[in-house]
Amino acid sequence: MLNATLIALLVVMSLALVRAIKGPSIHDRILAVNMFGTKTVLLIAVICFTFGKPEFLDIALVYALINFVSVIGVLRYFEFRNRNQNGTQNSSEELASD
């Protein structure tokens, strides 16, 4: 049963990598990377349960926190970048119309 779980997680992780590489937009790619990170946490937890090593759960929790914070940071970066690009385009269009 655990082998089937490990195989299923690896298949889902590979599909997430494909989406991260081929994603049509940056938001799809970020979501795929977030999903890959979440499945990695699950994989670490399953390995922890399989080998009976409870100290791996600490690693999984730290990885989950890093994954969450990094995805929020990347999304905020692209939000501010798009806001600045749209703001400069609007101000240059206003100057051209005057």
Side-chain angles (χ1 to χ4, degrees):
M1 186 67 174
L2 289 174
N3 291 336
T5 305
L6 287 173
I7 291 170
L9 280 172
L10 291 175
V11 167
V12 171
M13 289 171 72
S14 64
L15 291 174
L17 279 179
V18 169
R19 176 52 62 193
I21 293 169
K22 292 178 61 175
S25 71
I26 190 69
H27 298 293
D28 292 329
R29 290 179 176 160
I30 293 171
L31 183 63
V33 169
N34 187 21
M35 186 173 69
F36 183 82
T38 303
K39 300 309 172 199
T40 303
V41 170
L42 287 174
L43 183 69
I44 293 170
V46 169
I47 290 172
C48 168
F49 182 74
T50 303
F51 293 126
K53 303 260 186 194
E55 56 270 7
F56 285 172
L57 282 179
D58 294 336
I59 296 170
L61 286 173
V62 169
Y63 189 81
L65 289 171
I66 291 171
N67 182 37
F68 175 73
V69 169
S70 63
V71 166
I72 296 298
V74 169
L75 286 173
R76 295 286 284 189
Y77 169 76
F78 283 110
E79 177 188 7
F80 286 122
R81 188 183 78 166
N82 289 339
R83 187 180 300 167
N84 287 339
Q85 286 178 352
N86 292 337
T88 28
Q89 289 174 354
N90 290 339
S91 62
S92 62
E93 289 173 1
E94 291 172 2
L95 291 174
S97 65
D98 289 338

